[in-house]
Amino acid sequence: MKIVSSILPPEKLRQEVIRDFPEGDFRFFDGIEAAGESFYNAEVFMTYGEDLTEEHINKTTKLKWIMVMSAGMDEIPLITCKEKGILITNARGIQKIPMAEFALGIMLGHVKQKALLFLKMNLCLKGILSGAWRM
């Protein structure tokens, strides 16, 4: 199975993927344009999604699956993929833990009046630096 990626991960990660999935013929490129003809003959395509156009999809001959390595699929030509019977998957939920942590941090900051604390700290620092307040 020919698997083409427009994502160029570090060499160590590429070697791990090739080792762990020996049945795949992996080709890694830095962008879809660098992939050239390899993309048009691929069965599986890995991308972040922003480089794939309707024209690209229409020129493919064997593409069966697009793996979008991000949560969003806004840039993917969904209708064209559906017409050609191409499966599209993504990394749904990849941001759920960081977003939950961010939301909790904002809530704690609000309860603890973090903005007011920073304002008072800034005023104290200005006083120290200006010499108006001595330690």
Side-chain angles (χ1 to χ4, degrees), residues 112-126:
K112 296 291 187 178
Q113 297 181 354
K114 187 172 154 184
L116 183 59
L117 173 65
F118 283 147
L119 178 64
K120 288 182 178 180
M121 287 173 57
N122 193 23
L123 290 173
C124 289
L125 183 59
K126 284 181 182 178

Side-chain angles (χ1 to χ4, degrees), residues 21 41 53 128 133:
F21 302 97
N41 298 314
T53 66
I128 291 169
W133 185 48

Side-chain angles (χ1 to χ4, degrees), residues 4 6 32 41 43 56 82 84-85 87 97 106 109 124 133:
V4 174
S6 65
I32 196 168
N41 298 314
E43 294 174 74
H56 288 120
K82 184 176 181 179
K84 290 193 78 168
L87 173 69
I97 292 174
I106 294 294
C124 289
W133 185 48

Side-chain angles (χ1 to χ4, degrees), residues 1 19 29 63 67 70 84 88 106 113-114 121:
M1 176 178 291
R19 183 194 69 230
F29 298 94
L63 192 60
M67 176 59 205
S70 64
K84 290 193 78 168
I88 304 172
I106 294 294
Q113 297 181 354
K114 187 172 154 184
M121 287 173 57

